[in-house]
Amino acid sequence: MTVIYVDTLFLLNAMMDYLLLLSSARLAGEPLTRLRFLAGAAAGGLYAVAIFLPGLEFLQLPPCRLAAMAGMLLLAFGGSRRLLRLGLLFLALSCALGGGVLLVAQLGGRGLSLGRGVLYTGMDLKIVLLAAAGCFAALTLLFSRSGQHWGRKGQLCAAALELAGRRLELTALVDTGNTLSDPVTGRPVAVAEGAALAPLLPRELGWLPGRLSDPAGAMARLGNGPWAGRFRLLPYQAVGVERGLLLALRLDGLAVGETRQTSPLVALSPTPVSDGGNYRLLLGGLERSDWK
């Protein structure tokens, strides 16, 4: 008879669910909301425990499993435009994990098993916690090393935008084809999805994202207010647009990894900059000397 400890069962499945949620977000280019990942992972751990409780065996039925997974995804990624993609990634990674566990079992490995569709182990709780720490460290190292090559064209990276004490992290695409620059200083200008910058803006500018399709009107509405000096109009050309204007905001800083630019201009796009929503910021000209 196999003895299953509730605390170990909960921690093991919560840890694995957290790593799966984190990996799904990384692969989809989703911002990392770790507290929400913890909430989703905790829900997954509680579900794993509930399956083994007397009278709750029905929870292992496919409809209940799907409902549990949907609940985890909503806790971790609710509100994301990429929720379906994240769900498919999470499902694929979960299948890969299950297949790996079964392979180890077939090869004679002991200690980690699948029962009723969830992971369980007879190992000591301390060993489980050490294994969790090791998995997390390995995953962090893997993603951090891949992020060191952010300067290559077409590479996704995490960018931190700073304004008046606020900080916002967005997934960015390094695109050397983005040649938008400040005509006064010649410095490159990043292009951000205007709606994505809403959390960075002060409360009195909450109207701004909805007015970006009329940049001249938005600039006029700013008038001589305290934030007017932060904004300017930038001319641009694009496919299908011979002469256009974008409203640009001067930030306090823009950081990518260990590299930082002070007082950068970021043009605010009234439309998404990515068709699939994988990124919300376009960066160009990162090899210039004004990045320190």
Side-chain angles (χ1 to χ4, degrees):
M1 177 179 178
T2 302
V3 177
I4 299 176
Y5 296 96
V6 170
D7 53 356
T8 303
L9 179 65
F10 171 80
L11 285 175
L12 178 61
N13 283 274
M15 178 264 294
M16 288 300 179
D17 287 335
Y18 180 85
L19 293 179
L20 289 171
L21 291 169
L22 178 64
S23 299
S24 300
R26 286 285 195 179
L27 291 173
E30 182 77 6
L32 303 183
T33 52
R34 297 181 187 275
L35 288 178
R36 296 190 63 176
F37 295 170
L38 284 173
L46 291 173
Y47 170 74
V49 171
I51 284 180
F52 286 91
L53 296 179
L56 297 180
E57 294 85 356
F58 68 91
L59 290 177
Q60 62 185 302
L61 296 175
C64 296
R65 292 189 185 279
L66 289 175
M69 186 181 75
M72 288 177 53
L73 292 172
L74 287 174
L75 283 172
F77 306 117
S80 172
R81 296 182 303 172
R82 298 185 288 272
L83 184 59
L84 178 59
R85 179 181 302 178
L86 287 161
L88 293 175
L89 281 171
F90 180 83
L91 183 60
L93 291 172
S94 299
C95 291
L97 174 63
V101 172
L102 291 175
L103 177 61
V104 171
Q106 290 295 323
L107 294 176
R110 296 182 178 181
L112 190 63
S113 305
L114 277 174
R116 301 189 181 182
V118 299
L119 293 171
Y120 69 89
T121 180
M123 293 186 295
D124 183 80
L125 181 59
K126 293 181 181 179
I127 298 177
V128 173
L129 292 176
L130 286 174
C135 290
F136 182 79
L139 192 62
T140 301
L141 179 63
L142 173 65
F143 284 125
S144 63
R145 288 185 65 87
S146 64
Q148 291 177 359
H149 303 289
W150 58 269
R152 296 177 182 175
K153 180 179 179 181
Q155 185 81 24
L156 289 176
C157 60
L161 293 76
E162 304 163 2
L163 176 66
R166 297 179 180 85
R167 182 182 174 91
L168 175 67
E169 288 195 0
L170 295 178
T171 301
L173 175 70
V174 178
D175 181 14
T176 55
N178 172 29
T179 58
L180 185 64
S181 61
D182 185 347
V184 177
T185 64
R187 295 176 68 181
V189 176
V191 180
E193 182 179 329
L197 265 63
L200 194 66
L201 299 173
R203 183 175 301 177
E204 57 266 33
L205 294 180
W207 54 269
L208 185 59
R211 299 263 183 158
L212 293 176
S213 57
D214 180 18
M219 190 70 190
R221 184 171 178 179
L222 288 167
N224 297 319
W227 291 93
R230 290 271 191 173
F231 292 90
R232 59 181 300 179
L233 294 174
L234 287 180
Y236 77 98
Q237 290 183 340
V239 177
V241 181
E242 184 176 352
R243 295 178 182 177
L245 288 175
L246 287 173
L247 188 67
L249 168 64
R250 188 169 297 283
L251 303 176
D252 294 328
L254 174 59
V256 179
E258 300 298 322
T259 308
R260 188 174 187 275
Q261 187 184 47
T262 57
S263 301
L265 269 180
V266 176
L268 307 180
S269 171
T271 58
V273 296
S274 165
D275 291 337
N278 288 339
Y279 52 89
R280 309 187 79 177
L281 181 68
L282 287 174
L283 298 174
L286 300 186
E287 302 300 328
R288 296 173 58 95
S289 60
D290 49 4
W291 286 80
K292 305 299 184 183

